[in-house]
Amino acid sequence: SSTLVLSIFLFISMICFVTPQNSYADAPKDVTIKYDPNSQTLTVTITHKSMFPGMHHIKTVEIKKNNNILSTNNYDTQPKDVPFTYTYKVEAAKGDKLEATATCNLSGSKTVTLTVAPATK
């Protein structure tokens, strides 16, 4: 009888830990990017709430230009204030397609793209 109770407890515990918990781990809610051709800076703004940014955070931001990976930026935590912004130096010209993918360390990712507009003087 104690073995049965222990088995049931272990089974329920396993279900709780294996089943994804949407309230605790989710893909970034929103990602926006802007490119400044004058400073050649890509700004990535991410909305991803976390009560424990050391355990649940955006782990990578991958930057692509014209479908080629320029950088994969790894993070061990995220800022507490949401949304937060990262900036990256990217050389791009009018018509280049820039893409940023923000990936949660526990579950999900979001990708956004933009086409570079001409520089303003």
Side-chain angles (χ1 to χ4, degrees), residues 14-31:
M14 185 178 75
I15 295 297
C16 290
F17 287 115
V18 172
T19 305
Q21 303 294 320
N22 289 335
S23 61
Y24 298 111
D26 56 352
K29 182 178 180 182
D30 190 38
V31 178

Side-chain angles (χ1 to χ4, degrees), residues 10-88:
L10 290 174
F11 177 76
I12 291 171
S13 296
M14 185 178 75
I15 295 297
C16 290
F17 287 115
V18 172
T19 305
Q21 303 294 320
N22 289 335
S23 61
Y24 298 111
D26 56 352
K29 182 178 180 182
D30 190 38
V31 178
T32 59
I33 58 176
K34 292 181 184 175
Y35 184 71
D36 180 347
N38 297 314
S39 65
Q40 297 192 334
T41 302
L42 181 68
T43 303
V44 180
T45 302
I46 302 167
T47 302
H48 180 257
K49 292 182 182 180
S50 174
M51 293 182 64
F52 305 101
M55 294 174 21
H56 172 215
H57 57 273
I58 295 299
K59 73 173 178 177
T60 60
V61 177
E62 182 181 76
I63 306 300
K64 290 183 179 180
K65 179 173 80 172
N66 301 324
N67 295 319
N68 296 311
I69 297 172
L70 295 180
S71 66
T72 301
N73 307 277
N74 299 301
Y75 302 97
D76 294 325
T77 187
Q78 73 178 36
K80 289 186 180 203
D81 292 333
V82 175
F84 52 92
T85 300
Y86 295 131
T87 58
Y88 308 96

Side-chain angles (χ1 to χ4, degrees), residues 32-37 41-43 64-67 90-100 111-120:
T32 59
I33 58 176
K34 292 181 184 175
Y35 184 71
D36 180 347
T41 302
L42 181 68
T43 303
K64 290 183 179 180
K65 179 173 80 172
N66 301 324
N67 295 319
V90 175
E91 291 184 24
K94 176 185 172 188
D96 282 340
K97 181 179 140 190
L98 300 179
E99 179 178 295
T111 301
V112 292
T113 61
L114 70 75
T115 301
V116 176
T120 56

